[in-house]
Amino acid sequence: MAAMPEEDHQRLLGLQHRLNARLSPRRIDTERLQPPAAPTFQDLVHVAQLIKLSWPAGKSLVPSDALASVIDSHASHLHAALRTPRPRSSSRFSMLWAAPDNSAQCGALLVTAEEVLHSANDPAQLRAAIRPLARFAVEHAPGGACRSFFNRPGFSPTLARAMVRRAHGFHTAGPREYANLRVASRDCRFTAEEVPSHLPQSWYDQYFADFADGVPHCNLYTVRHLRRAASLKLVEMAQGGSWVQCAQALDIPESRARSALTKLRGQFGESDLWKRFEDITEQLARHLDGLPQRVNYANRRRALASWQLPRADWSALIEGLPQGRRLTARYGTALGTVLIWTEATQSDYLLCPLLQHLRRDGTGPAHLTDELSRFLAPASQDRTRQALLQRIAQYATTAEALCTRTRASTSD
């Protein structure tokens, strides 16, 4: 301490005063009232430990060369000890998590961690500082030490978001990822259950239509993939998890979610389109946050999973339409069932439980699927299809009543 420059002495004394104030009973009571996403006192300790675990990757973050030398005298000794062969023991890594006995070393780590966390109000800036440390630690530190650190509970959402590995716009889903870092990627007022599994056309038109114009070789399949990927991203924002877990929350088969993301990766290439995709989804998320009322689409999917359109209701829907008899003779009420399920749940019609049942039953819904695609593709909508779709949309406004009746009949 005596040989330390006066400027660094002042840094450490200032830190001591701030810590004393932060640890006072009144300050602790105030911190309990802070939103959970705010950096916590424990984050200060976690960042200091990450600096040790990833040393010397964080050397440029240290406020001065003198303080960096102090940290190096501590961290280099620890890493040398970790590289020394010894019997396997979980306690081997405890030396990484204990505070240094030397007050200068402890202070240098904490003041550096505090400097890093000053950027917590800017998630991009905080991630730019934290993520390289996490990546360096995974690539260079002992695997056991990384598991010991990244699997521990207590990371705030702010810090977890800064450390988690992401690829192509989403939290990565590989088996080597640390699941407790995949927290909700933003603070949302809407929930995952209030996200439709296939972005509604009106939302897509307002937020993504112009974006799609800049996607190379954009086609109808690109639109479908974008609508599915945007819903996956909204769920990640609301509840966290990998894209696989987000697909499960939306009742989307993993294979279809994987296919959509793979196709988009191929079209986006190495451009900035993923960043733009995230920015646009953020705009949509803000819109959802501000809605005075939101629909619980998960409830609708559950309630309508085995629902089928009554024949009398179908007859009323097709009354006066030129192709009504043909549609009834060929598909019964199945066409109406799928169209209403699609409209009420805002899901991809291909995922309708009735179509899945027909596939499992071996009856083959190929003709029905072709008819549905003609109904739902704007280029194929003649007057009859447009009229029926308008009636379907009106009928689907009774979806809440349908769900209530379905739940009541299930419980009887």
Side-chain angles (χ1 to χ4, degrees), residues 49-339:
Q49 292 171 336
L50 179 60
I51 291 170
K52 286 200 295 183
L53 181 64
S54 62
W55 192 258
K59 192 172 183 178
S60 63
L61 302 174
V62 186
S64 73
D65 291 340
L67 291 176
S69 297
V70 171
I71 295 176
D72 186 70
S73 68
H74 174 68
S76 59
H77 169 75
L78 288 179
H79 283 276
L82 289 175
R83 288 192 293 270
T84 303
R86 62 178 65 188
R88 294 174 64 91
S89 170
S90 59
S91 63
R92 178 183 181 186
F93 304 115
S94 61
M95 66 179 76
L96 277 168
W97 319 137
D101 295 329
N102 182 289
S103 60
Q105 294 172 343
C106 187
L109 283 166
L110 290 175
V111 80
T112 303
E114 186 185 53
E115 285 285 326
V116 171
L117 287 172
H118 275 164
S119 61
N121 290 331
D122 183 342
Q125 186 179 347
L126 180 63
R127 182 171 174 82
I130 291 289
R131 177 57 200 163
L133 304 187
R135 182 173 61 247
F136 188 92
V138 170
E139 293 174 352
H140 297 90
C146 288
R147 287 190 295 273
S148 175
F149 177 73
F150 290 111
N151 282 327
R152 61 178 47 195
F155 294 127
S156 72
T158 299
L159 185 55
R161 290 166 190 160
M163 290 193 294
V164 67
R165 190 167 79 89
R166 295 188 304 188
H168 302 106
F170 288 85
H171 292 165
T172 47
R176 295 178 59 223
E177 306 308 323
Y178 298 101
N180 68 318
L181 298 184
R182 294 193 295 246
V183 299
S185 55
R186 73 188 293 275
D187 298 320
C188 297
R189 292 195 180 102
F190 64 89
T191 68
E193 292 207 333
E194 293 167 339
V195 176
S197 67
H198 200 59
L199 207 68
Q201 187 67 50
S202 60
W203 296 3
Y204 175 85
D205 291 341
Q206 181 176 352
Y207 291 95
F208 284 95
D210 290 342
F211 169 80
D213 291 340
V215 176
H217 313 296
C218 183
N219 53 44
L220 290 177
Y221 293 104
T222 306
V223 174
R224 172 176 288 173
H225 299 329
L226 279 173
R227 293 173 70 180
R228 183 168 291 164
S231 290
L232 292 170
K233 186 64 181 179
L234 288 171
V235 172
E236 182 198 278
M237 290 175 164
Q239 76 169 25
S242 65
W243 64 262
V244 175
Q245 294 165 316
C246 295
Q248 292 170 349
L250 290 170
D251 299 319
I252 298 175
E254 180 180 337
S255 60
R256 289 187 180 274
R258 185 188 303 277
S259 175
L261 296 180
T262 299
K263 297 294 176 53
L264 290 178
R265 287 169 192 156
Q267 288 184 273
F268 288 7
E270 298 302 320
S271 67
D272 67 342
L273 287 174
W274 275 121
K275 178 63 169 59
R276 291 175 55 196
F277 169 84
E278 291 185 74
D279 292 343
I280 294 171
T281 311
E282 170 64 25
Q283 295 174 25
L284 175 55
R286 292 174 190 165
H287 167 72
L288 296 183
D289 280 339
L291 290 178
Q293 290 185 318
R294 291 179 286 270
V295 174
N296 190 316
Y297 289 102
N299 273 350
R300 289 188 175 187
R301 292 194 301 272
R302 286 190 289 265
L304 298 178
S306 58
W307 175 83
Q308 291 196 40
L309 178 64
R311 182 168 287 274
D313 290 2
W314 171 246
S315 297
L317 285 169
I318 62 171
E319 183 177 359
L321 295 181
Q323 298 183 38
R325 290 184 179 179
R326 178 188 71 82
L327 295 174
T328 302
R330 189 160 196 180
Y331 308 114
T333 64
L335 177 67
T337 297
V338 178
L339 289 173

Side-chain angles (χ1 to χ4, degrees), residues 336-404:
T337 297
V338 178
L339 289 173
I340 292 166
W341 179 89
T342 300
E343 178 68 25
T345 65
Q346 288 299 308
S347 302
D348 187 338
Y349 72 92
L350 293 173
L351 302 182
C352 179
L354 177 60
L355 287 181
Q356 296 178 25
H357 171 75
L358 293 174
R359 292 189 189 97
R360 290 193 299 268
D361 201 36
T363 54
H367 294 300
L368 174 59
T369 302
D370 291 342
E371 188 74 58
L372 286 163
S373 67
R374 287 191 289 271
F375 263 89
L376 296 172
S380 303
Q381 291 180 8
D382 56 21
R383 289 185 179 180
T384 298
R385 295 188 182 111
Q386 290 177 352
L388 182 55
L389 286 175
Q390 290 174 356
R391 298 179 186 183
I392 290 288
Q394 183 62 37
Y395 185 94
T397 61
T398 65
E400 292 296 344
L402 286 171
C403 294
T404 301

